[in-house]
Amino acid sequence: MKNKNIIYIIGFMLITLIIAIMYLFRYSTITINKDLLNTKWYKYNNTTGYYDVFELTENSFNYYKADNTNNPNEYDNCKNYRYNKMTKTFTLDCNKKVKISSYSKDKLVLEIDNKPQTFFNNINASINYEFELVFGKSMIDYKKEKSQILETIKINEQKLLEVLKENEYSKIIFMGDKCTSVDCVLSLDIIEKNNTQTINMYYFDYSDITNQLLNKLNQIDNKFERDLNFYNGLYPRIIIVKNNKLVDTYELQCQGFNCNKYNINEF
């Protein structure tokens, strides 16, 4: 009887072990929603101005964190993973873990380094999401609210030629239909703040530029570009003039949402 009991106990333990192994195997195999696979998921990094990119295939893992350096990040060597369906957690081959908090067809929330990170499969959706988190309104509403400053300082061709002759430094902002970056939206606040401090700031609409005007400007100072695209870029074009001279020119580019380098004295 004792031997039978031992056999029953051992048999029960083996069955329990097999069931446990099957259970664990079931929840450790790759059973990820297909909508998440083979798709680039973007998160706009509002401190660097670059996009973090997350991508999965059935066999590989990639989390790219871009910046303006070539320094590697802690996920560069993470290539393979095991997925636990029960905990929705990826165990990576670099001793890191990433958890799925929630997802839909176009939005993915991951817990990375114990912090929620929201990704989208559309770049514009990502930057708009981050913008609204920081500023409390959409980029469209922000632009509508701030764009009136351009009408306040807008000048025509005649006024532009008069400004060039002045003995004081003047800043002329050029923006056109290609200026679609977030910097174009944020520049409106910079212009508004600077305009309260100086009267030597003007805006010239790219659509008002003609080849005849470009020829006139180039004759005044050959530093003025004849190429129309020079005045209609992804970023606002700033031109500083004085005494019929083009003193300096640059594009207004923020670092993410941080535009502090364009302060009152430097703009």
Side-chain angles (χ1 to χ4, degrees):
M1 291 294 294
K2 290 185 178 179
N3 290 336
K4 286 186 177 181
N5 289 337
I6 293 174
I7 292 173
Y8 290 147
I9 292 172
I10 293 175
F12 177 78
M13 292 176 64
L14 285 173
I15 292 172
T16 303
L17 180 61
I18 291 171
I19 293 173
I21 291 173
M22 291 177 65
Y23 181 84
L24 290 173
F25 179 77
R26 177 187 175 190
Y27 285 104
S28 296
T29 54
I30 301 173
T31 53
I32 303 173
N33 189 297
K34 290 183 179 180
D35 290 337
L36 300 181
L37 297 176
N38 304 310
T39 300
K40 291 186 185 297
W41 297 89
Y42 302 92
K43 179 185 183 301
Y44 182 75
N45 189 320
N46 61 47
T47 60
T48 66
Y50 295 91
Y51 287 90
D52 295 347
V53 183
F54 176 79
E55 186 176 15
L56 282 177
T57 70
E58 290 186 353
N59 302 308
S60 64
F61 171 98
N62 183 43
Y63 180 37
Y64 180 65
K65 299 172 68 175
D67 57 27
N68 57 358
T69 72
N70 292 320
N71 297 330
N73 71 73
E74 63 271 32
Y75 289 89
D76 282 349
N77 295 321
C78 305
K79 300 301 180 186
N80 301 307
Y81 67 90
R82 288 182 294 105
Y83 180 65
N84 188 306
K85 181 181 178 181
M86 183 172 61
T87 62
K88 297 181 180 180
T89 301
F90 300 97
T91 300
L92 310 178
D93 59 353
C94 57
N95 297 320
K96 290 279 189 180
K97 289 188 176 182
V98 174
K99 182 179 180 180
I100 297 177
S101 296
S102 64
Y103 66 86
S104 61
K105 187 176 181 180
D106 53 9
K107 181 180 177 181
L108 171 65
V109 181
L110 299 175
E111 187 176 305
I112 301 176
D113 297 329
N114 298 317
K115 294 180 181 179
Q117 306 285 349
T118 304
F119 294 78
F120 295 84
N121 57 14
N122 179 279
I123 287 179
N124 291 329
S126 175
I127 193 169
N128 276 291
Y129 175 82
E130 297 296 330
F131 192 95
E132 194 158 348
L133 280 181
V134 173
F135 296 100
K137 61 189 68 177
S138 69
M139 290 176 62
I140 294 176
D141 290 340
Y142 187 96
K143 186 175 181 179
K144 285 181 180 178
E145 181 182 303
K146 297 286 185 178
S147 59
Q148 60 185 358
I149 184 60
L150 296 182
E151 291 302 318
T152 303
I153 62 174
K154 184 177 180 180
I155 57 175
N156 57 22
E157 178 177 330
Q158 180 181 349
K159 179 63 177 179
L160 173 62
L161 297 175
E162 291 175 2
V163 169
L164 289 176
K165 299 177 183 178
E166 294 178 357
N167 294 325
E168 296 181 351
Y169 289 104
S170 295
K171 296 89 173 177
I172 305 170
I173 301 108
F174 291 85
M175 281 193 282
D177 54 3
K178 292 182 181 178
C179 196
T180 56
S181 65
V182 66
D183 307 72
C184 301
V185 178
L186 295 175
S187 69
L188 299 175
D189 183 62
I190 301 169
I191 294 168
E192 184 179 61
K193 289 178 179 177
N194 280 264
N195 190 54
T196 62
Q197 301 294 322
T198 177
I199 60 172
N200 298 324
M201 183 179 298
Y202 307 95
Y203 162 66
F204 198 90
D205 192 332
Y206 163 80
S207 62
D208 294 332
I209 299 178
T210 63
N211 287 324
Q212 291 81 358
L213 174 59
L214 292 181
N215 288 332
K216 289 180 183 179
L217 294 175
N218 189 260
Q219 289 172 4
I220 293 172
D221 187 340
N222 59 17
K223 291 181 181 178
F224 280 101
E225 287 283 342
R226 291 177 182 264
D227 185 358
L228 280 168
N229 292 321
F230 180 77
Y231 306 90
N232 187 22
L234 291 175
Y235 305 96
R237 166 68 60 181
I238 311 298
I239 290 179
I240 301 176
V241 297
K242 178 182 178 182
N243 292 328
N244 279 332
K245 295 291 183 182
L246 191 159
V247 178
D248 194 13
T249 181
Y250 58 90
E251 289 183 323
L252 192 155
Q253 297 186 42
C254 303
Q255 186 173 2
F257 294 160
N258 186 349
C259 305
N260 291 336
K261 63 181 179 181
Y262 299 104
N263 60 37
I264 302 300
N265 295 321
E266 294 179 353
F267 181 77

